[in-house]
């Protein structure tokens, strides 16, 4: 549980809830050796969340999400997959799992602060807060309505999906990963981890694509989208179709001086959407968003200050009628801090 | 157990047009008021 003090320039309050960067969870892992090289296993990971802190807003400290897994005091399955692993050939996992670019930006950060505030932290902490302009709400638009990225409003990061995932064995510090899921969601990533003297490096880069905008759950009061990649809207799929294609790419790295724990983390991500959906005549859709933060912090904690700027551009007149142009979003994040004795979540 | 504190600040602007008006975005540029947040808590591993 954490305390969340917020101030939107007009009002301020303190809420109490679960830090949803990494909520409580229980993991069951069973593995059996087949021989000296081969092994097989099954992973089941269950989330246990109390009072969700990424679904409240100025009007209520209760979750405003109609999605059952975003409600208070629920459990749900985060991962459920079986795998076959070879020391020489790598691992293939089948089932509900993180895609190859899942937490791509976050998992390039091996430090302790990753557990409480990562690249997805800023949009998670913005939760469902309504934006204000000159003190007034803007037609009930929320920060997630303005920010982009289909997973926790973080361009470049993918999500957990039903996929077949492959991870190569370590080759001089390099690990290749790729995943594919039904309705054609796929991605690939490379991870590099190495130590040079007192300095360690962890870097990740990846690319993904999807033609599945997800499935609409038509709750009359507040529809929401599950599965797929809701790159344009998390409340509708109609504006994504036809011929929807979403691509994302990201790169991030952490360099750490091991004796002191000092480290620098930087990340970049982008999401681009193509659709033949015809928006109102004379307009095309183009969106960008970027955010960044870079701040000093003290050793072994998650203290960080930052600045997040976002913008959404949809404008420009073109000959009518016209299909939508690509929509893009970019994120840049960075951190300078110190951490020792860290443990990275999986 | 690890104690932590996080501070963040956000602001920005966005530009809406006819395509986004349906979702509630005003047409033209809208400046967003700054939003501050301070999060504190503890992480415990069992």
């Amino acid at each position: 549980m954490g305390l969340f003090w917020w101030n939107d320039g007009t009002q301020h309050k303190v809420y109490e809830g679960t830090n949803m960067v990494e909520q409580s969870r229980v993991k069951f892992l069973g593995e059996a050796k087949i021989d000296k090289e081969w092994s097989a296993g099954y992973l089941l990971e269950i989330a246990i969340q109390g009072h969700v802190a990424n679904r409240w807003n100025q009007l209520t400290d209760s979750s405003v999400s109609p999605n059952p897994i975003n409600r208070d005091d629920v459990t749900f399955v985060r991962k459920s997959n079986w795998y076959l692993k070879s020391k020489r050939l790598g691992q293939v996992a089948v089932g509900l799992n993180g895609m190859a670019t899942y937490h791509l930006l976050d998992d390039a950060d091996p430090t302790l602060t990753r557990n409480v505030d990562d690249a997805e932290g800023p949009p998670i902490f913005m939760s469902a807060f309504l934006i204000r302009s000159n003190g007034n709400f803007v037609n009930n638009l929320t920060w997630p309505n303005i920010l982009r990225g289909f997973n926790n409003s973080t361009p470049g990061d993918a999500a957990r999906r039903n996929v077949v995932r492959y991870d190569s064995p370590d080759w001089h510090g390099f690990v290749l990963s790729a995943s594919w899921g039904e309705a054609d969601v796929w991605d690939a990533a490379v991870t590099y981890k190495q130590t040079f003297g007192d300095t360690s490096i962890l870097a990740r880069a990846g690319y993904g694509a999807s033609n599945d905008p997800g499935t609409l759950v038509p709750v009359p009061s507040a529809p929401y989208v599950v599965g797929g990649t809701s790159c344009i809207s998390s409340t509708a799929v109609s504006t994504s179709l036809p011929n929807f294609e979403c691509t994302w790419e990201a790169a991030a790295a952490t360099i750490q001086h091991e004796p002191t724990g000092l480290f620098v983390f930087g990340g970049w991500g982008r999401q681009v959407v193509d659709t033949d959906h015809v928006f109102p005549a004379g307009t095309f859709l183009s969106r960008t968003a970027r955010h960044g933060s870079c701040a000093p912090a003290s050793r072994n904690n998650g203290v960080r200050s930052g600045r997040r700027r976002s913008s959404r551009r949809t404008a420009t007149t073109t000959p009518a009628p016209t299909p939508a142009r690509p929509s893009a979003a970019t994120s840049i994040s960075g951190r300078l801090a110190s951490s020792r004795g860290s443990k990275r979540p999986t | 157990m690890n104690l932590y504190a996080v501070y963040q600040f956000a602001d920005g602007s966005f530009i809406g047009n006819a395509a986004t008006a349906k979702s509630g975005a005003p047409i033209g540029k809208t400046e967003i008021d700054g939003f501050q947040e301070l999060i504190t808590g503890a992480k415990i591993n069992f």
Side-chain angles (χ1 to χ4, degrees), chain A residues 293-312:
Chain A
S293 63
C294 184
S298 59
R299 183 172 134 186
N300 268 342
N301 64 28
V303 176
R304 94 177 191 182
S305 63
R307 180 175 175 83
R308 182 186 180 99
R309 298 189 66 84
S310 63
S311 64
R312 178 179 182 177

Side-chain angles (χ1 to χ4, degrees), chain A residues 156-167:
Chain A
D157 273 6
R160 295 183 308 277
R161 294 290 183 265
N162 288 306
V163 293
V164 178
R165 172 171 170 158
Y166 170 73
D167 292 282

Side-chain angles (χ1 to χ4, degrees), chain A residues 1-9 19 112 115-117 122 125-126 129 131-135 138-139 141 143 146 279-280 283-284 302-315, chain B:
Chain A
M1 298 294 280
L3 293 175
F4 298 74
W5 172 85
W6 57 266
N7 185 335
D8 67 0
N19 184 339
L112 181 63
N115 293 288
V116 296
D117 182 20
F125 296 142
M126 307 286 268
F129 279 104
I131 63 169
R132 288 185 186 272
S133 183
N134 296 319
V138 184
N139 298 329
L141 285 177
W143 282 97
I146 303 301
F279 289 89
T283 63
F284 75 81
V303 176
R304 94 177 191 182
S305 63
R307 180 175 175 83
R308 182 186 180 99
R309 298 189 66 84
S310 63
S311 64
R312 178 179 182 177
R313 291 190 307 188
T314 58
Chain B
M1 180 173 75
N2 295 285
L3 304 175
Y4 65 89
V6 178
Y7 172 80
Q8 68 178 40
F9 174 83
D11 67 1
S13 65
F14 63 93
I15 299 174
N17 67 1
T20 54
K22 188 179 176 182
S23 65
I27 293 176
K29 185 175 183 180
T30 300
E31 295 287 345
I32 304 173
D33 294 351
F35 186 87
Q36 302 178 76
E37 207 164 3
L38 177 66
I39 302 103
T40 64
K43 179 179 182 292
I44 304 172
N45 286 333
F46 294 100

